Amino acid sequence: MASSEAGAQHPILSNDYASEWLGIEVLGFGDGHATIAMTLRPEMMNGFGITHGGMIFAFADSAFALACNSAQGDSSHVTVASGVDVNFLAPTRAGQRITAVANRRQQQGRSGLYDVQVTAENGGSPTVVAEFRGRSRTIPNRHTN
Protein backbone atom coordinates (compact mmCIF):
# COMPACT_ATOMS: atom_id res chain seq x y z
CA MET A 1 0.00 0.00 0.00
CA ALA A 2 1.64 3.21 -1.16
CA SER A 3 1.23 6.37 0.90
CA SER A 4 1.09 9.95 -0.26
CA GLU A 5 4.02 12.27 0.15
CA ALA A 6 3.77 14.56 3.18
CA GLY A 7 1.69 17.55 2.17
CA ALA A 8 0.67 16.05 -1.18
CA GLN A 9 -2.87 16.76 -2.29
CA HIS A 10 -5.02 14.27 -4.12
CA PRO A 11 -6.07 15.78 -7.49
CA ILE A 12 -9.80 15.14 -6.97
CA LEU A 13 -9.72 17.60 -4.06
CA SER A 14 -8.84 20.58 -6.28
CA ASN A 15 -12.55 21.31 -6.92
CA ASP A 16 -14.12 19.41 -4.00
CA TYR A 17 -15.85 22.26 -2.18
CA ALA A 18 -17.89 19.90 0.01
CA SER A 19 -14.77 18.29 1.50
CA GLU A 20 -13.24 21.75 1.88
CA TRP A 21 -16.33 22.99 3.78
CA LEU A 22 -16.21 19.93 6.02
CA GLY A 23 -12.62 20.83 6.93
CA ILE A 24 -11.19 17.48 5.89
CA GLU A 25 -7.49 16.90 6.41
CA VAL A 26 -5.93 14.19 4.25
CA LEU A 27 -3.56 12.13 6.36
CA GLY A 28 -2.58 9.73 3.59
CA PHE A 29 -3.69 8.00 0.42
CA GLY A 30 -2.50 5.30 -1.91
CA ASP A 31 -3.76 2.60 -4.22
CA GLY A 32 -7.13 1.57 -2.73
CA HIS A 33 -6.54 3.31 0.60
CA ALA A 34 -7.14 6.71 2.20
CA THR A 35 -7.06 8.14 5.72
CA ILE A 36 -8.68 11.49 6.53
CA ALA A 37 -9.60 13.44 9.66
CA MET A 38 -11.69 16.44 10.68
CA THR A 39 -12.92 18.23 13.77
CA LEU A 40 -16.68 18.40 14.21
CA ARG A 41 -18.14 21.93 14.38
CA PRO A 42 -21.36 23.22 16.01
CA GLU A 43 -23.04 23.76 12.63
CA MET A 44 -22.67 20.02 11.97
CA MET A 45 -24.90 19.11 14.93
CA ASN A 46 -28.58 18.15 14.67
CA GLY A 47 -31.43 19.16 16.97
CA PHE A 48 -30.40 16.49 19.51
CA GLY A 49 -26.95 18.02 19.97
CA ILE A 50 -25.17 15.15 18.20
CA THR A 51 -23.57 15.10 14.79
CA HIS A 52 -26.03 14.98 11.91
CA GLY A 53 -25.76 11.58 10.20
CA GLY A 54 -25.33 13.29 6.84
CA MET A 55 -22.09 14.87 8.06
CA ILE A 56 -20.67 11.49 9.07
CA PHE A 57 -21.86 10.01 5.78
CA ALA A 58 -20.28 12.83 3.72
CA PHE A 59 -17.03 12.45 5.66
CA ALA A 60 -16.87 8.68 5.02
CA ASP A 61 -17.86 9.24 1.38
CA SER A 62 -14.88 11.57 0.91
CA ALA A 63 -12.51 8.88 2.21
CA PHE A 64 -14.21 6.39 -0.13
CA ALA A 65 -13.68 8.72 -3.12
CA LEU A 66 -9.99 9.19 -2.31
CA ALA A 67 -9.45 5.44 -2.00
CA CYS A 68 -11.31 4.72 -5.27
CA ASN A 69 -9.51 7.23 -7.48
CA SER A 70 -5.82 7.01 -8.21
CA ALA A 71 -3.83 10.18 -7.62
CA GLN A 72 -1.86 9.32 -10.76
CA GLY A 73 -4.91 8.68 -12.95
CA ASP A 74 -5.17 10.24 -16.40
CA SER A 75 -8.63 11.76 -15.64
CA SER A 76 -10.25 10.08 -18.64
CA HIS A 77 -12.15 7.87 -16.17
CA VAL A 78 -13.49 8.46 -12.67
CA THR A 79 -14.68 6.05 -10.02
CA VAL A 80 -17.97 6.93 -8.36
CA ALA A 81 -20.29 5.34 -5.83
CA SER A 82 -22.85 2.92 -7.25
CA GLY A 83 -24.28 2.31 -3.78
CA VAL A 84 -23.40 2.46 -0.12
CA ASP A 85 -24.55 1.18 3.24
CA VAL A 86 -23.74 2.98 6.46
CA ASN A 87 -24.26 1.94 10.06
CA PHE A 88 -24.11 4.60 12.76
CA LEU A 89 -22.77 2.97 15.92
CA ALA A 90 -22.12 5.78 18.42
CA PRO A 91 -22.90 9.50 18.63
CA THR A 92 -20.34 12.27 18.23
CA ARG A 93 -20.41 15.90 19.34
CA ALA A 94 -18.96 19.26 18.41
CA GLY A 95 -15.26 19.53 19.17
CA GLN A 96 -14.50 15.84 18.66
CA ARG A 97 -11.91 14.87 16.07
CA ILE A 98 -12.95 12.00 13.82
CA THR A 99 -10.89 9.85 11.48
CA ALA A 100 -11.94 7.72 8.52
CA VAL A 101 -9.86 4.88 7.11
CA ALA A 102 -10.96 3.57 3.70
CA ASN A 103 -9.68 0.33 2.20
CA ARG A 104 -10.45 -1.50 -1.02
CA ARG A 105 -11.68 -5.01 -0.31
CA GLN A 106 -12.24 -6.24 -3.85
CA GLN A 107 -11.89 -5.04 -7.45
CA GLN A 108 -13.34 -6.86 -10.44
CA GLY A 109 -13.13 -4.98 -13.71
CA ARG A 110 -14.91 -1.64 -13.31
CA SER A 111 -16.60 -2.58 -10.01
CA GLY A 112 -15.09 -2.35 -6.55
CA LEU A 113 -15.98 -2.87 -2.90
CA TYR A 114 -14.59 -0.61 -0.15
CA ASP A 115 -14.92 -0.46 3.63
CA VAL A 116 -14.60 2.78 5.57
CA GLN A 117 -14.35 2.82 9.35
CA VAL A 118 -15.01 6.13 11.14
CA THR A 119 -13.62 6.55 14.65
CA ALA A 120 -13.77 9.38 17.18
CA GLU A 121 -11.26 10.38 19.82
CA ASN A 122 -12.74 10.03 23.30
CA GLY A 123 -9.79 10.80 25.53
CA GLY A 124 -8.57 7.19 25.41
CA SER A 125 -8.65 4.68 22.62
CA PRO A 126 -10.70 5.62 19.55
CA THR A 127 -14.37 4.64 19.46
CA VAL A 128 -15.86 3.27 16.24
CA VAL A 129 -18.77 5.57 15.40
CA ALA A 130 -19.70 4.36 11.91
CA GLU A 131 -19.03 1.59 9.41
CA PHE A 132 -19.51 2.45 5.73
CA ARG A 133 -19.40 -0.04 2.84
CA GLY A 134 -19.23 1.42 -0.64
CA ARG A 135 -19.71 -0.14 -4.02
CA SER A 136 -17.86 1.65 -6.81
CA ARG A 137 -18.07 1.84 -10.57
CA THR A 138 -15.45 3.27 -12.93
CA ILE A 139 -16.99 5.33 -15.74
CA PRO A 140 -15.79 7.69 -18.49
CA ASN A 141 -15.17 11.22 -17.18
CA ARG A 142 -17.61 13.47 -19.02
CA HIS A 143 -16.48 16.56 -17.08
CA THR A 144 -12.75 16.83 -17.68
CA ASN A 145 -11.26 20.18 -16.72
Side-chain angles (χ1 to χ4, degrees):
M1 167 183 356
S3 292
S4 64
E5 295 289 324
Q9 181 172 326
H10 197 292
I12 67 169
L13 294 174
S14 63
N15 293 313
D16 186 344
Y17 302 111
S19 292
E20 182 180 328
W21 180 85
L22 287 168
I24 289 173
E25 175 188 352
V26 178
L27 303 179
F29 57 84
D31 182 26
H33 172 78
T35 302
I36 63 175
M38 76 176 187
T39 300
L40 297 167
R41 302 187 310 266
E43 65 269 24
M44 297 173 170
M45 301 302 110
N46 64 22
F48 301 117
I50 59 176
T51 309
H52 190 289
M55 298 295 120
I56 301 295
F57 179 92
F59 178 65
D61 191 48
S62 290
F64 175 45
L66 289 169
C68 288
N69 289 279
S70 171
Q72 290 79 37
D74 66 5
S75 78
S76 65
H77 287 81
V78 295
T79 302
V80 297
S82 63
V84 300
D85 297 299
V86 63
N87 293 287
F88 301 108
L89 304 171
T92 53
R93 292 181 169 66
Q96 279 186 294
R97 185 164 171 85
I98 60 175
T99 302
V101 178
N103 287 296
R104 180 174 47 225
R105 296 295 175 219
Q106 187 68 341
Q107 183 77 40
Q108 295 293 327
R110 296 186 305 144
S111 298
L113 185 64
Y114 292 76
D115 285 336
V116 182
Q117 185 175 74
V118 180
T119 58
E121 294 178 6
N122 282 327
S125 60
T127 299
V128 177
V129 298
E131 291 279 353
F132 174 111
R133 174 158 275 194
R135 296 172 301 283
S136 69
R137 185 74 171 170
T138 300
I139 60 172
N141 185 359
R142 289 177 173 69
H143 298 92
T144 55
N145 293 335

